[in-house]
Structures are given as C-alpha cells and as structure tokens.
C-alpha cells in the first residue's frame, strides 16, 4: 500500500482549513502513514470469529423514568446571573452571528 503523500496531507489541511508549512506536510505524512500501518496490523490480528467492539466489556445504559421533582424556579436559577434576558442567561456573543 503506497504511503500518504504530502499532497494528500495538504488536501486534508485545506478541508480542515489549516495552513501547513512544507515541513509540517512532510512530518504529518509520515505520522499518518504510521497510524494507517498500525490500524492495518490490528485488522490483520482480528480473526473472523472476533466481533468488532468498542469496549472490552459489555455495557448497558442504565435509564430511569423521567419524573417531575421539585427544582429551582427561573427566578432562583437566574438570581446569581450577571445578566439575563427573557428568563435566560445572557452571555456575550462570540460567533459574530445574529
């Protein structure tokens, strides 16, 4: 399998909106090639009888029914807020959107 080229890394960088120097492209190409090689080796070890898994132990989500319980009123929840608007926390705009 051919290695990852700096041009492919540059393409990934453009997709991620990252500006990469020539040295970074060469460096990351080698690193990505090593990562892909490691994943390929793991794939070789996993036999047909080994099911894919994300965790070595079986996991089960523990869910509880939603029940209405006493909680803070909007006024109590907002009482320590430095700013509020329409019963919500008012925070500075950070994305520059309306």
């Amino acid at each position: 399998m051919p290695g990852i080229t700096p041009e492919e890394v540059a393409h990934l960088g453009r997709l991620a909106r990252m500006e990469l120097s020539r040295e970074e492209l060469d460096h990351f190409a080698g690193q990505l090639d090593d990562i892909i090689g490691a994943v390929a080796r793991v794939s070789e070890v996993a036999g047909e009888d080994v099911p894919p898994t994300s965790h070595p132990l079986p996991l089960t989500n523990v869910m509880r029914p939603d029940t209405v319980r006493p909680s803070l009123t909007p006024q109590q929840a907002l009482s320590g807020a430095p700013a509020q608007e329409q019963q919500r926390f008012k925070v500075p705009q950070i994305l520059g959107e309306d």
Side-chain angles (χ1 to χ4, degrees), residues 30-93:
Q31 286 184 334
L32 287 171
D33 203 36
D34 290 343
I35 292 168
I36 291 171
V39 170
R41 282 193 300 278
V42 170
S43 297
E44 292 170 4
V45 173
E48 301 263 338
D49 59 332
V50 178
T53 182
S54 64
H55 198 277
L57 302 174
L59 298 176
T60 305
N61 284 337
V62 178
M63 305 295 257
R64 63 169 173 76
D66 287 336
T67 55
V68 178
R69 299 185 300 179
S71 60
L72 298 175
T73 66
Q75 293 78 18
Q76 290 170 322
L78 294 168
S79 66
Q84 55 180 296
E85 184 176 286
Q86 298 177 355
Q87 290 192 337
R88 298 181 182 156
F89 293 99
K90 185 174 181 179
V91 297
Q93 186 175 4

